[in-house]
């Protein structure tokens, strides 16, 4: 059975409850007995966003019992950055907490592509922004990225408003508006990653880490306000 690990909850001294997505059944949970013991052969199941092939020993209890696991795809490398590890945690948490039961099956392929991007790229923040963009579109948050939401102009864009659902130009911005201004480069980056979020092609993207952090912090605050999901673990700096 194909399975993507989302969350791991330690249970007793050496066991764990594993939660994740199957491509046919959606969200499933099971027990991994003894998985925290040093020599346990199934320890890879403890790593969020690992794509596995799993089999169960069903003992007719509340949870199926993990029998064997083998790795299909892993986003982890030998020396992963803190940026990559935090991106993995945020993607896993948003997926687990932000979807309804019937949505998990449809998200399997999207999540698989995201893990492939994390594996092959050294730009985890770009992958994270792209995944959040895709997630928001799929759960019903459609933002206008081609013109000002107030007047329709494509020129002089200076602000992105989550409340109003898109960009606002300088001519429409009033002194009473308290939206954070984005630089031109940040606006272009946000637009590209939103419109082409499922392509994960960053070769032509002009960006720096500060731009990514500015966009991510805006997304994180919006998700906290609208969905009640706390992704910040501390806002990025």
């Amino acid at each position: 059975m194909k399975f993507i690990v989302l969350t791991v909850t330690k249970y007793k001294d050496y066991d764990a409850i594993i939660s994740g997505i199957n491509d046919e059944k959606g969200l499933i949970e099971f027990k991994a007995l003894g998985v925290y013991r040093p020599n346990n052969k199934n320890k890879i199941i403890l790593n969020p966003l690992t794509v596995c092939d799993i089999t169960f020993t069903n003992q007719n209890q509340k949870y199926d019992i993990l029998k064997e696991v083998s790795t299909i795809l892993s986003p982890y490398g030998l020396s992963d950055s803190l940026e990559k590890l935090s991106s993995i945690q945020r993607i896993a948490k948003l997926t687990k907490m932000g979807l309804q039961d019937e949505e998990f099956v449809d998200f399997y392929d999207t999540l698989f592509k995201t893990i492939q991007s994390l594996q092959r790229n050294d730009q985890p923040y770009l992958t994270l922004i792209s995944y959040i963009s895709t997630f928001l579109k799929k759960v019903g948050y459609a933002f206008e990225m081609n013109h000002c939401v107030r007047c329709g102009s494509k020129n002089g864009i200076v602000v992105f408003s989550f409340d109003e659902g898109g960009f606002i130009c300088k001519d429409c911005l009033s002194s009473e508006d308290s939206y954070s201004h984005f630089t031109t480069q940040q606006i272009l980056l946000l637009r590209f990653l939103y419109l082409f979020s499922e392509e994960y092609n960053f070769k032509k993207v002009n960006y720096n880490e500060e731009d990514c952090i500015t966009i991510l912090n805006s997304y994180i605050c919006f998700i906290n306000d609208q969905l009640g999901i706390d992704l910040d673990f501390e806002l990025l700096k």
Side-chain angles (χ1 to χ4, degrees), residues 169-234:
C169 72
K170 61 183 180 181
D171 293 334
C172 291
L173 201 64
S174 72
S175 59
E176 297 178 357
D177 292 320
S178 58
Y179 304 125
S180 298
H181 285 246
F182 284 172
T183 66
T184 299
Q185 184 166 306
Q186 289 165 358
I187 287 171
L188 292 174
L189 178 61
L190 173 61
R191 182 180 183 274
F192 178 86
L193 294 179
Y194 182 86
L195 293 178
F196 304 101
S197 61
E198 294 189 73
E199 295 186 8
Y200 293 109
N201 184 357
F202 307 134
K203 292 180 180 179
K204 297 182 179 180
V205 175
N206 183 21
Y207 82 102
N208 58 48
E209 188 172 284
E210 182 180 349
D211 294 337
C212 292
I213 288 174
T214 297
I215 293 170
L216 279 172
N217 282 338
S218 296
Y219 265 151
I220 286 169
C221 290
F222 174 75
I223 288 168
N224 196 0
D225 291 343
Q226 295 296 315
L227 302 178
I229 301 172
D230 182 8
L231 294 180
D232 65 9
F233 311 133
E234 269 188 38

Side-chain angles (χ1 to χ4, degrees), residues 14 27 38 43 57-59 69 79 81 92-93 135 198 222:
Y14 299 105
L27 184 68
K43 290 181 75 69
T57 299
N58 194 325
Q59 298 182 344
V69 56
S79 55
S81 65
K93 185 174 183 179
F135 175 90
E198 294 189 73
F222 174 75

Side-chain angles (χ1 to χ4, degrees), residues 22-62:
N22 170 253
D23 59 339
E24 295 180 350
K25 296 183 178 180
L27 184 68
I28 62 173
E29 292 184 328
F30 55 86
K31 278 185 182 179
L33 301 180
V35 73
Y36 280 100
R37 294 187 184 277
N39 297 323
N40 189 278
K41 63 181 181 180
N42 292 330
K43 290 181 75 69
I44 58 171
I45 204 71
L46 298 176
N47 299 320
L49 296 195
T50 299
V51 186
C52 309
D53 185 28
I54 57 176
T55 57
F56 296 123
T57 299
N58 194 325
Q59 298 182 344
N60 296 318
Q61 299 178 6
K62 180 179 179 181

Side-chain angles (χ1 to χ4, degrees), residues 50-114:
T50 299
V51 186
C52 309
D53 185 28
I54 57 176
T55 57
F56 296 123
T57 299
N58 194 325
Q59 298 182 344
N60 296 318
Q61 299 178 6
K62 180 179 179 181
Y63 294 102
D64 287 335
I65 307 299
L66 179 67
K67 181 180 181 181
E68 292 181 338
V69 56
S70 59
T71 303
I72 297 174
L73 177 69
S74 171
Y76 300 94
L78 294 177
S79 55
D80 289 326
S81 65
L82 290 176
E83 290 82 5
K84 183 175 183 179
L85 295 175
S86 70
S87 296
I88 289 171
Q89 293 293 329
R90 286 180 166 94
I91 290 168
K93 185 174 183 179
L94 178 61
T95 306
K96 173 68 184 299
M97 298 185 66
L99 298 179
Q100 302 297 319
D101 290 344
E102 66 277 6
E103 295 173 322
F104 282 100
V105 170
D106 293 336
F107 253 80
Y108 182 90
D109 288 341
T110 297
L111 194 56
F112 190 90
K113 290 180 182 177
T114 304

Side-chain angles (χ1 to χ4, degrees), residues 140-184:
Y141 291 94
F143 300 121
E144 176 52 64
M145 292 288 182
N146 291 313
H147 54 72
C148 174
V149 293
R150 293 182 178 176
C151 72
S153 173
K154 295 183 178 181
N155 300 317
I157 300 296
V158 292
V159 164
F160 181 80
S161 167
F162 285 106
D163 291 336
E164 297 189 43
F167 288 130
I168 299 174
C169 72
K170 61 183 180 181
D171 293 334
C172 291
L173 201 64
S174 72
S175 59
E176 297 178 357
D177 292 320
S178 58
Y179 304 125
S180 298
H181 285 246
F182 284 172
T183 66
T184 299

